[in-house]
Amino acid sequence: MSEKSTSNEQPVVVDARDIVKVLGQGAGEVQALKGVSVSLNAGELTLLMGPSGSGKTTLLSVLGCILTPTSGSVKIAGEDTIGLGPEGLADIRRRHIGFIFQSYNLFPTLTALENVRLALDVRGMKYSETIVRAETALGEVGLNHRLRSFPSNMSGGEQQRVAVARALASAPSVILADEPTAALDSENGHAVMALLAEIAKDESRAVLAVTHDPRTLSYADRILKIEDGQIISDERPAEAGANVSRYDRKKRRKIHA
């Protein structure tokens, strides 16, 4: 069960404390994260912004249980990850974390439905359940008409929405997105951010997006800025999410890249 935030009583889905991450060895050793503490609340879209080399991708990887911290602690949905080996961390990822990547990471020989279903299959779900969940997730991102389309026959925006559906289908506690709009044009970028902001309204889920794209700012409930491996600001925009209500949902179903 997720912990409670003392400030606004929203469930804390991810809680990282005093994270230090050292990369490399000897003369090439770099302290990528320097005592970072951050929590992610359910029902919020948080942006993590910073220049290249600031540590944002490393932090995303630690929060996603891909990298283990050199020191510090990470809890996901109330579960402590300290001391877990590769299998234990993989289990946490399967049960609690959905990933969205800049390059989509879709299998070119699989249809949209198969790409989403495969992500559920590795979680040990029954075949019939994977079909229902995959179809539902693709419907939620406006791709009912693309269930049997291959990535090569889809636009960049549609491929990214398949990636969002894949992350969403397993009902994760947190969705982590790495530069989700970087490869998209303006219309598709806004469409994907509106979709993530809508997904983040779920009071049982947190969404974190690493980005340097200024188009994403108005969709955020919260903006974290990182430099030199340290969080330097934590802000809540006055008009957070305003673009979500202004953005016509029908546009998301008509994107072309």
Side-chain angles (χ1 to χ4, degrees):
M1 204 170 175
S2 299
E3 298 178 4
K4 289 289 184 178
S5 164
T6 57
S7 59
N8 55 15
E9 295 306 311
Q10 290 175 295
V12 175
V13 178
V14 177
D15 189 26
R17 296 294 166 196
D18 304 316
I19 299 298
V20 172
K21 182 61 182 177
V22 177
L23 301 174
Q25 296 179 349
E29 184 176 288
V30 174
Q31 193 171 7
L33 298 174
K34 304 172 182 177
V36 172
S37 293
V38 63
S39 60
L40 301 178
N41 297 330
E44 290 186 347
L45 170 58
T46 300
L47 300 185
L48 178 62
M49 308 187 78
S52 297
S54 61
K56 57 185 185 293
T57 299
T58 302
L59 179 57
L60 185 80
S61 297
V62 170
L63 298 180
C65 297
I66 295 173
L67 293 177
T68 55
T70 304
S71 64
S73 64
V74 179
K75 288 184 179 180
I76 309 292
E79 296 188 36
D80 203 333
T81 64
I82 292 179
L84 293 181
E87 287 300 319
L89 293 172
D91 180 59
I92 291 284
R93 291 195 300 270
R94 283 192 296 266
R95 290 187 293 112
H96 292 303
I97 304 171
F99 293 96
I100 301 170
F101 304 97
Q102 174 182 341
S103 56
Y104 320 138
N105 285 10
L106 302 180
F107 288 96
T109 58
L110 300 182
T111 65
L113 182 65
E114 290 167 338
N115 265 285
V116 177
R117 194 195 69 75
L118 181 63
L120 298 172
D121 187 55
V122 299
R123 288 170 166 81
M125 294 183 187
K126 294 182 179 179
Y127 178 81
S128 57
E129 184 180 0
T130 66
I131 292 294
V132 171
R133 285 202 180 205
E135 289 181 343
T136 299
L138 286 164
E140 289 179 358
V141 301
L143 290 178
N144 281 320
H145 63 299
R146 287 297 203 181
L147 297 182
R148 289 168 179 78
S149 295
F150 292 95
S152 60
N153 296 322
M154 291 185 282
S155 70
E158 288 174 330
Q159 290 182 64
Q160 189 61 299
R161 285 190 285 158
V162 174
V164 173
R166 180 179 57 195
L168 186 62
S170 61
S173 303
V174 59
I175 290 179
L176 303 176
D178 189 7
E179 301 283 2
T181 64
L184 303 177
D185 61 23
S186 179
E187 184 176 12
N188 282 299
H190 282 294
V192 167
M193 287 310 301
L195 182 58
L196 290 178
E198 189 172 309
I199 290 169
K201 291 179 181 177
D202 187 328
E203 292 298 325
S204 66
R205 179 182 299 121
V207 180
L208 173 69
V210 166
T211 183
H212 64 273
D213 187 349
R215 296 175 299 182
T216 64
L217 291 172
S218 58
Y219 294 95
D221 298 299
R222 181 182 177 200
I223 300 172
L224 301 174
K225 292 183 180 178
I226 186 170
E227 284 188 15
D228 298 322
Q230 296 178 304
I231 299 294
I232 61 169
S233 70
D234 183 348
E235 302 173 349
R236 293 182 179 275
E239 296 184 2
N243 275 351
V244 180
S245 59
R246 288 198 294 264
Y247 195 87
D248 184 358
R249 291 185 182 181
K250 292 182 180 179
K251 284 188 177 182
R252 288 194 273 112
R253 302 175 185 271
K254 298 180 180 179
I255 15 181
H256 60 282

